[in-house]
Amino acid sequence: MSVYLYSKGIEHAASKMKGNELIHMGIRPYEMHAGNTLALVAYPILLCEKLVAQGKEPALTFIVSLNDWEQANLIGQDIYKYNFDVMPENSTIQFTVESNGDYTADLWGRRIVVALEDIKKLYPKVTIKPVYNSDLKEHSSMKQVVLKTITHRQELKNLMIKSSGRPTINSELPFASAICPACHHANTDTNVLDNEILTTNCQQCGATFTRPYEDFMYWLYHKPLFAARWKVFGFTHSISGGDHFHEGDVDTRKALYQFFFNQKAPELEMIFSPILIGDNGQKMSKSRNNFFTIPLETITKAARNHDAQHLTVL
């Protein structure tokens, strides 16, 4: 595994690339603020710039995960400090509806895809492939991750704590659950029976269901979710926001891949962007309600030669 941080990291990564690599990026399709634009659009553009400067034509393929199986909001004692002791506040983004009646995942998925087209405008041989997590439900690797996350939640939590060094309050909250078919709430008591049959008891409406895996939709915590996507797509590179680096995801990703698939994780070249700072001096974040938009050109210019952990764009 190799890690590439910020501007110098991009240059180093580009020096080892041919220009036709398969790169993964991900975003919750729920708003798109300047911090998302930095990692999802500006950094791919800067990577292409570095390839051109080194005499390579960018023909990269970007797999863009639209994480509709994640939640709009998390709740817990302190979701930033104890990020392994959390649960969804309501439903997943897949079932969240905007005030105009549009599904949030559909509305913002379309807008995110439009924003990504700015990469192709500059580098026409680049390919953008957006994929909703929910469309991967029946892939064997996604099913394997969902079921094992439900059945081995304490073992999984211990592994993530060990690999990341993050603190915990020792709750026994799950990292995956079946969505209630009656009210679409994500907080269900979900258990796996024989033959991949699941039972759910909704903590919101009280409804209970016993159905095959294929008959449910799911909430899945983003760290196990990365392992599933890595196995499904077999990408060799990733671009992520700097918060993932500081949460220990380099080691956690490797550990989770081995946990779920009982094999050593393949090589993955991980590129991390700086953490964009919002108005209040904290990380720009949807969950903190601390976000705004900045023109792509402004973000790209500010990040082009920036080699520190945090980036402030005025």
Side-chain angles (χ1 to χ4, degrees):
M1 302 290 172
S2 298
V3 176
Y4 305 96
L5 298 178
Y6 322 135
S7 176
K8 290 180 181 177
I10 296 178
E11 186 170 11
H12 186 197
S15 71
K16 298 170 62 178
M17 298 170 69
K18 296 178 180 179
N20 62 351
E21 284 76 6
L22 185 62
I23 303 176
H24 177 268
M25 305 186 294
I27 183 174
R28 291 186 297 160
Y30 171 60
E31 299 285 350
M32 185 173 179
H33 57 63
N36 301 136
T37 300
L38 171 61
L40 209 69
V41 187
Y43 252 53
I45 288 173
L46 293 173
L47 177 60
C48 290
E49 282 185 7
K50 298 297 185 183
L51 288 170
V52 170
Q54 296 171 18
K56 305 169 188 176
E57 184 174 31
L60 304 168
T61 297
F62 291 98
I63 301 292
V64 183
S65 290
L66 301 172
N67 302 337
D68 58 339
W69 273 11
E70 288 194 61
Q71 66 296 319
N73 295 295
L74 287 168
I75 55 175
Q77 179 172 312
D78 185 332
I79 65 172
Y80 307 111
K81 182 177 181 180
Y82 304 114
N83 59 314
F84 296 139
D85 300 281
V86 295
M87 59 184 180
E89 183 177 31
N90 293 300
S91 188
T92 57
I93 299 171
Q94 182 181 10
F95 293 104
T96 302
V97 179
E98 298 287 305
S99 58
N100 66 357
D102 286 347
Y103 281 99
T104 299
D106 293 339
L107 175 66
W108 282 99
R110 292 192 298 269
R111 292 177 178 177
I112 290 164
V113 170
V114 169
L116 291 165
E117 287 299 313
D118 284 329
I119 305 171
K120 284 186 63 65
K121 290 175 184 176
L122 294 171
Y123 303 99
K125 291 193 176 181
V126 164
T127 300
I128 308 292
K129 292 186 176 180
V131 183
Y132 284 97
N133 295 157
S134 55
D135 290 337
L136 302 176
K137 182 180 75 170
E138 296 190 24
H139 192 287
S140 60
S141 296
M142 181 65 82
K143 179 191 291 190
Q144 187 172 341
V145 168
V146 171
L147 295 177
K148 194 166 184 179
T149 299
I150 293 171
T151 57
H152 293 72
R153 66 184 184 186
Q154 194 58 51
E155 185 180 351
L156 176 63
K157 180 175 182 176
N158 291 341
L159 178 64
M160 290 192 292
I161 290 170
K162 180 179 179 181
S163 60
S164 68
R166 302 289 295 176
T168 178
I169 56 173
N170 297 313
S171 68
E172 296 185 0
L173 297 174
F175 295 99
S177 61
I179 301 299
C180 175
C183 72
H184 293 155
H185 210 280
N187 289 332
T188 65
D189 182 11
T190 303
N191 293 282
V192 180
L193 307 179
D194 293 336
N195 299 317
E196 299 176 353
I197 301 296
L198 285 76
T199 64
T200 66
N201 180 6
C202 182
Q203 304 303 301
Q204 179 70 15
C205 73
T208 60
F209 296 89
T210 301
R211 296 180 176 180
Y213 167 88
E214 288 75 14
D215 288 358
F216 289 103
M217 281 297 181
Y218 297 90
W219 166 68
L220 182 58
Y221 189 62
H222 67 277
K223 295 189 190 297
L225 190 52
F226 186 93
R229 295 174 300 199
W230 190 1
K231 183 68 170 178
V232 169
F233 295 114
F235 46 80
T236 57
H237 292 67
S238 65
I239 299 178
S240 308
D243 52 322
H244 292 279
F245 174 73
H246 294 285
E247 286 180 5
D249 276 16
V250 173
D251 290 331
T252 299
R253 289 171 178 177
K254 292 185 291 185
L256 289 181
Y257 190 99
Q258 184 168 342
F259 173 78
F260 286 116
F261 304 115
N262 298 313
Q263 61 185 112
K264 183 180 178 181
E267 288 299 313
L268 180 63
E269 309 288 287
M270 303 185 210
I271 300 169
F272 294 95
S273 68
I275 297 172
L276 193 63
I277 301 301
D279 285 333
N280 60 1
Q282 294 184 325
K283 169 187 176 292
M284 189 174 291
S285 168
K286 299 167 189 173
S287 60
R288 297 176 188 267
N289 197 29
N290 169 35
F291 62 89
F292 47 84
T293 59
I294 299 173
L296 172 61
E297 296 78 7
T298 303
I299 297 173
T300 306
K301 181 179 180 180
R304 183 169 281 114
N305 298 304
H306 187 83
D307 272 310
Q309 173 182 346
H310 296 107
L311 173 63
T312 301
V313 181
L314 301 177

